[in-house]
Each structure stands twice: as structure tokens, then as C-alpha cells.
């Protein structure tokens, strides 16, 4: 997308943790990854927090990630709008309809009171109403945003393989040793998701004492496995994640079926697939784009058990599923293509002022 000069873009975090906003996985994928791709095209992209953004900074576009209706946000948005800066909101979860707050993972896992979650969702919704343009991560989330914000232009910018991983050499993959099943709960809100597959996991682990299960991240679980068969590791920073992902044989991504999970991105599928590892996952609309690129969707305990057995025991099937998997994932999750879509959006919203 040609411009007569580089665009100046700020990606603005709106979460509560000002000091650690760059550690947030959502911000890493939705903002940091895209910013890197835009910088490679010669544009100027910065990462900041809403409380740290200089309202006098020379900007063409400001992308507010998961905006909340706070004083800092309202004041900053008003100042930037008066200066002619394009304002874009980005959201990657169903967090703006308080009627659906009961499906929030924090609520269903008894981590956050429903009343607090409803208040947060109302804050997101009031903030999002201030935007003419909203970007989202998945098709179902776009549909929900179009329903809640009929006056806005809603564009899907899917999550993509992170640019840092594309700089990591392909060698040094899975270490020698027994087959390894991996599961990566990124937050404390996946206990109920994992509980949906404990029965088939118990059967597979009992039938295959040589197989190990490696869980990386916070999770409360009960598995009837042999001593030494289940390994639980603490959550690691994103920069330390890829060695653990690529060390697996089969990855797992179970989800309870709710309106919230239906809108989620298939990040766990694309992360594992980039390193040549298939993921057994619950039916998920965003995983459909990886149906022939690492995602094996299963919808019953029997299917979880059967597909896991097949991936662990049928070498021919495994080789077929994983052949050239990195390339197939990149075809469907390339951040450079996402950057192209973003630039088209910027050109359209600017009315040609930068083109």
C-alpha cells in the first residue's frame, strides 16, 4: 500500500497494569506483532500505555487495544480526535456485552464476581461506542461487534504467527525422548476447559505409560496418571515460550462451548502448527482456517481419545498431518498480510490524506 510518507502509528494499551502492559499476550499478538510488520515497511509504530501517551506526539493513527471508559482514555481520545488523528479500537475477546458476562472465563471458573465483570464489560462497551472503526480477531467476534455497534465499521484482522518466531532457526526442535502431549493454559481461567478432556486423557495415559503430559501455565487438574507421567511447569514469558511449544508431539486446546469461547482466536493451533506440531482442539470457528494446517477438531470424549491414540500410534498418519505444516500455517496466518489489511484500512479512513 503506497503512502507519500511513512505513517506514524501508536498502539495504545488500556489495561490496568501500566508497568507490564507489554507482557500481556493479547497486546503482544494484537499490537506488538503488527507494529513490527509495519516498521519493516518503513512506517513508524510505537507501543505505549494510555496513561503514557503524549497527546502532542505527531501521529496519524492511534490504535486503542481493549479500551476502557476511564478518564485517561476519554481525555486522550478527545485530544487526538481534535488533532485529526485516526482512532481505531482493537478487541480480541467478547468483552463488551454485559448480558453475556456470565460466560466470561473469569466468572465460570469462579475467579471474578459476575458484578465486577458486568461493570468491566459496560466500561468496554462505552469506550467502543466512541469509535468509528473497530478491528477484531475472528469472524464471530466481528458479528458480535457489528450487532453491538451498528454504526461502526468492523474489520477482522486475524492473529498471525509472531514475527519473533520467524527469526528463530528451525533446528533444535523436539528433544529425543518419549512422546510428549502439551497443554498451554495462558491464564488461570482454563480449569473448566481442561476438565472436559480429563477422562480421555486418563485413558490414553493409562494405555501409553511411555507418553508424558507437559502442562505449562496455571491449572488445577486431577489426572489418574503414573508417577512422573504428568509434568506441570510454571507460566513462562512469551520470549521463552517457543522452546516449550516446539518440544511437543501433540498439542491440546480444549474449550467449553460458550458464546465467549466461540469468538476466541485459534492461537494455540497456530503456535504449535508453526513448529510442525498438530493440535487436537474443540470445535472453534477460527480453527476452521487451520483445518488442513494443524487443527484436528474433535467434539466428544470418544473422538478426543481416538484421535490422540491415532496421532501417537500411527506414524504414517502423523507424518501426513505434519508434512510441510509450517508453510501451511503461514499461508493462513501471515502478519505481513495483516499489515497490508491494516494499511488499506488506514488509507480508506484517511480519505487519501496519506496516500
Amino acid at each position: 500500500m503506497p503512502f507519500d510518507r511513512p505513517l506514524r502509528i501508536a498502539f495504545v494499551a488500556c489495561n490496568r497494569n501500566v508497568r507490564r502492559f507489554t507482557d500481556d499476550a493479547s497486546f503482544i499478538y494484537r499490537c506488538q506483532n503488527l507494529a513490527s510488520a509495519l516498521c519493516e515497511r518503513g512506517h513508524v509504530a510505537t507501543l505505549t500505555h494510555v496513561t503514557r501517551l503524549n497527546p502532542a506526539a505527531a501521529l496519524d493513527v492511534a490504535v486503542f487495544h481493549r479500551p476502557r471508559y476511564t478518564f485517561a482514555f476519554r481525555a486522550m481520545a478527545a485530544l487526538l480526535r481534535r488533532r485529526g488523528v485516526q482512532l481505531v479500537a482493537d478487541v480480541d475477546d467478547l468483552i463488551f456485552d454485559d448480558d453475556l458476562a456470565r460466560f466470561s472465563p473469569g466468572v465460570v471458573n469462579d475467579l471474578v464476581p459476575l458484578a465486577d465483570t458486568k461493570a468491566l464489560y459496560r466500561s468496554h462497551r462505552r469506550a467502543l461506542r466512541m469509535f468509528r472503526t473497530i478491528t477484531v480477531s475472528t469472524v464471530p467476534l466481528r458479528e458480535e461487534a457489528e450487532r453491538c455497534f451498528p454504526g461502526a465499521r468492523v474489520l477482522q484482522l486475524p492473529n498471525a504467527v509472531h514475527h519473533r518466531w520467524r527469526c528463530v532457526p528451525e533446528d533444535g526442535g523436539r528433544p529425543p525422548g518419549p512422546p510428549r502431549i502439551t497443554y498451554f493454559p495462558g491464564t488461570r481461567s482454563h480449569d473448566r476447559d481442561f476438565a472436559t478432556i480429563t477422562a480421555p486423557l486418563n485413558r490414553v495415559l493409562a494405555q501409553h505409560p511411555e507418553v508424558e503430559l507437559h502442562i505449562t501455565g496455571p491449572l488445577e487438574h486431577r489426572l489418574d496418571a503414573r508417577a512422573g507421567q504428568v509434568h506441570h511447569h510454571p507460566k513462562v514469558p512469551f520470549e521463552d515460550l517457543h522452546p516449550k511449544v516446539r518440544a511437543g508431539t501433540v498439542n491440546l486446546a480444549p474449550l467449553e462451548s460458550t458464546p465467549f469461547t466461540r469468538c476466541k482466536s485459534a492461537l494455540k493451533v497456530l503456535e504449535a502448527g508453526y513448529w510442525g506440531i498438530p493440535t487436537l482442539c474443540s470445535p472453534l470457528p477460527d480453527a476452521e482456517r487451520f483445518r488442513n494446517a494443524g487443527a484436528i477438531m474433535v467434539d466428544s470424549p470418544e473422538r478426543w481419545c481416538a484421535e490422540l491414540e491415532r496421532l501417537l500410534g500411527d506414524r504414517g498418519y502423523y507424518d501426513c498431518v505434519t508434512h510441510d505444516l509450517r508453510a501451511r500455517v503461514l499461508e493462513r496466518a501471515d502478519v505481513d498480510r495483516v499489515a497490508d489489511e491494516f494499511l488499506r484500512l488506514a488509507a480508506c479512513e484517511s480519505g487519501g490524506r496519506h496516500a
Side-chain angles (χ1 to χ4, degrees), residues 161-180:
V161 174
H162 200 277
H163 72 281
R164 291 185 195 169
W165 287 13
R166 297 175 68 167
C167 300
V168 178
E170 292 191 47
D171 58 348
R174 201 181 79 80
R180 180 177 293 193

Side-chain angles (χ1 to χ4, degrees), residues 64-84:
F64 288 84
H65 178 58
R66 297 170 73 107
R68 294 179 296 126
Y69 197 73
T70 63
F71 175 80
F73 162 73
R74 298 196 308 271
M76 188 60 65
L79 287 169
L80 295 176
R81 184 174 284 115
R82 283 200 296 269
R83 293 181 47 231

Side-chain angles (χ1 to χ4, degrees), residues 25-26 29 92 159-161 165 251 264-273 284 286 289-290:
S26 176
Y29 271 104
D92 60 343
N159 281 320
V161 174
W165 287 13
N251 189 46
K264 285 184 66 67
S265 171
L267 266 178
K268 300 308 177 187
V269 175
L270 76 86
E271 287 179 337
L284 181 69
D286 194 53
R289 61 185 173 124
F290 300 103

Side-chain angles (χ1 to χ4, degrees), residues 93-162:
D93 276 323
L94 183 55
I95 54 172
F96 45 77
D97 185 348
D98 59 310
D99 287 339
L100 301 178
R102 66 187 185 277
F103 298 112
S104 164
V107 173
V108 300
N109 285 279
D110 296 321
L111 299 172
V112 184
L114 176 59
D116 292 354
T117 302
K118 280 179 170 285
L120 178 61
Y121 279 27
R122 285 193 293 268
S123 179
H124 285 306
R125 186 163 187 163
R126 291 185 73 185
L128 288 165
R129 281 175 174 159
M130 296 177 62
F131 291 87
R132 184 176 68 178
T133 303
I134 301 171
T135 56
V136 299
S137 52
T138 68
V139 172
L141 191 57
R142 186 194 69 205
E143 295 168 350
E144 294 289 348
E146 288 172 340
R147 174 179 62 82
C148 291
F149 310 106
R153 179 187 183 191
V154 184
L155 175 70
Q156 183 205 3
L157 296 180
N159 281 320
V161 174
H162 200 277

